[in-house]
Amino acid sequence: MEKNQKKQAKQAGWFMEMLVLTAAVAVISAAVYFFLIPSHASVSSISGLAIVLSNFVPLSISAITMILNVILLVIGFFTCGKTFGVKTVYTSILLPVFLGIFERILPDNQSMTGSAELDVVCYIFVVSIGLSILFNRNASSGGLDIVAKIMNKYLHMELGKAMSLSGMCVALSSALIYDKKTVILSILGTYLNGMILDHFIFGQNVKRRVCIITKKEEQLRDFIINTLHSGATVYEAIGAYNLEKHNEIITIVNKSEYQKLMNYINHEDPEAFITVYTVIDIRYRPKVWRFQEKIN
């Protein structure tokens, strides 16, 4: 009985996962078809590259997107892991499928805003919604998202910056067919897209390394461990001016924990000495730590 309930719960979770991914891809596809394609801009996406290539290859944008996604999927599957690959296979195939449906339903699609500039702005904000959902579920819509994930994993670049860099190459490809205005619009759109993704989406995952020297060391340590439920490390620090010894507490916290920590310190010890650093990547290697502890 209990096994059946767990199996049903697992199936329900899988169904909801696929439903959420499908909705996210639908949003991204709508952004591409109703805003990006009418603008003729190549903004930070494989679909943008497909728009350019459609002027040279006798295939629809959806077909070109499918071909490019399959090529990058193979690379992403072997470099970003099995879970990432399985989810992205689904979303990458679904994206050109949605585009194909839109092409059949509305073959004569025109700009909804009447302005290429507004089309690009609308595309960036709408597509960011879909991309945020996919990335938070360790998935991707394919294409440049896969490239960005690879750069994030191996080069430790922020995802927004990685997408901007790879997307800039796509933006410059518009120079092969379009005028200077469209090229500039593609470049600016790509830069803005990276900023929005980095600040509003991926910026939520950025943590802060806070180093604190305070007179209320025990109270602060207790607050970090029992209230924030976070970890901390204590180092002995010696002041260079008078060689006085102090204990420095170092902790790594997320955005909400950082605000709580600052409020606590400002209330309990406004004279505390604090330095703050931005942390992008955290790696824990227990084997190394155990080996070092054994030596010591």
Side-chain angles (χ1 to χ4, degrees):
M1 185 70 177
E2 187 176 344
K3 289 183 178 179
N4 291 333
Q5 290 178 345
K6 289 182 178 180
K7 185 177 180 180
Q8 291 177 355
K10 187 176 181 180
Q11 291 175 345
W14 177 86
F15 177 78
M16 286 301 300
E17 181 79 2
M18 293 299 105
L19 189 63
V20 171
L21 295 181
T22 302
V25 175
V27 171
I28 295 171
S29 303
V32 171
Y33 192 75
F34 294 108
F35 296 113
L36 185 62
I37 293 177
S39 72
H40 299 294
S42 300
V43 179
S44 192
S45 67
I46 283 298
S47 299
L49 181 59
I51 293 173
V52 175
L53 293 178
S54 65
N55 292 277
F56 302 99
V57 181
L59 293 173
S60 64
I61 294 175
S62 59
I64 297 174
T65 303
M66 175 72 82
I67 294 171
L68 294 175
N69 273 346
V70 169
I71 294 173
L72 289 173
L73 262 176
V74 175
I75 300 173
F77 187 84
F78 289 105
T79 57
C80 293
K82 187 176 180 180
T83 302
F84 179 85
V86 170
K87 290 182 180 180
T88 307
V89 166
Y90 177 72
T91 56
S92 296
I93 293 175
L94 199 61
L95 177 61
V97 168
F98 271 121
L99 290 177
I101 293 173
F102 289 142
E103 288 172 348
R104 287 182 175 274
I105 297 176
L106 298 169
D108 299 322
N109 180 44
Q110 301 294 326
S111 173
M112 297 177 66
T113 66
S115 168
E117 293 82 1
L118 287 177
D119 281 336
V120 170
V121 171
C122 291
Y123 163 76
I124 291 171
F125 281 97
V126 175
V127 81
S128 295
I129 297 173
L131 288 176
S132 65
I133 297 173
L134 293 183
F135 275 117
N136 287 331
R137 291 182 176 270
N138 196 31
S140 163
S141 63
L144 295 188
D145 302 342
I146 297 176
V147 177
K149 274 281 189 178
I150 294 172
M151 295 173 71
N152 172 256
K153 181 176 181 179
Y154 292 101
L155 301 179
H156 309 298
M157 291 181 64
E158 296 176 11
L159 285 171
K161 292 180 180 179
M163 288 192 69
S164 293
L165 182 60
S166 56
M168 200 62 69
C169 297
V170 174
L172 292 173
S173 70
S174 61
L176 298 174
I177 190 67
Y178 297 121
D179 56 16
K180 294 179 181 179
K181 178 183 176 181
T182 304
V183 175
I184 293 174
L185 184 61
S186 299
I187 294 173
L188 292 177
T190 297
Y191 181 73
L192 179 61
N193 187 44
M195 287 181 59
I196 291 176
L197 289 174
D198 191 36
H199 183 73
F200 293 103
I201 300 172
F202 308 119
Q204 297 176 0
N205 297 324
V206 173
K207 296 182 181 294
R208 291 177 173 85
R209 181 175 184 265
V210 187
C211 306
I212 311 153
I213 296 178
T214 175
K215 296 177 181 178
K216 298 186 177 181
E217 176 191 337
E218 290 299 322
Q219 295 92 320
L220 178 61
R221 188 174 61 84
D222 180 73
F223 176 80
I224 293 173
I225 295 174
N226 298 316
T227 302
L228 296 183
H229 302 291
S230 184
T233 304
V234 180
Y235 292 97
E236 185 179 68
I238 302 176
Y241 181 73
N242 51 19
L243 299 179
E244 288 187 3
K245 294 183 179 181
H246 304 276
N247 282 335
E248 182 182 40
I249 300 177
I250 299 177
T251 183
I252 297 177
V253 292
N254 59 31
K255 186 177 181 180
S256 62
E257 293 169 343
Y258 174 74
Q259 292 175 343
K260 293 177 182 178
L261 179 61
M262 290 299 100
N263 290 335
Y264 176 84
I265 295 174
N266 289 334
H267 182 267
E268 296 294 329
D269 187 8
E271 297 181 354
F273 180 79
I274 306 171
T275 54
V276 183
Y277 307 87
T278 299
V279 178
I280 300 174
D281 189 22
I282 299 175
R283 299 194 177 191
Y284 175 56
R285 302 175 64 186
K287 291 183 179 180
V288 174
W289 281 105
R290 285 198 295 268
F291 179 72
Q292 290 177 343
E293 289 173 357
K294 189 174 181 180
I295 292 178
N296 294 334

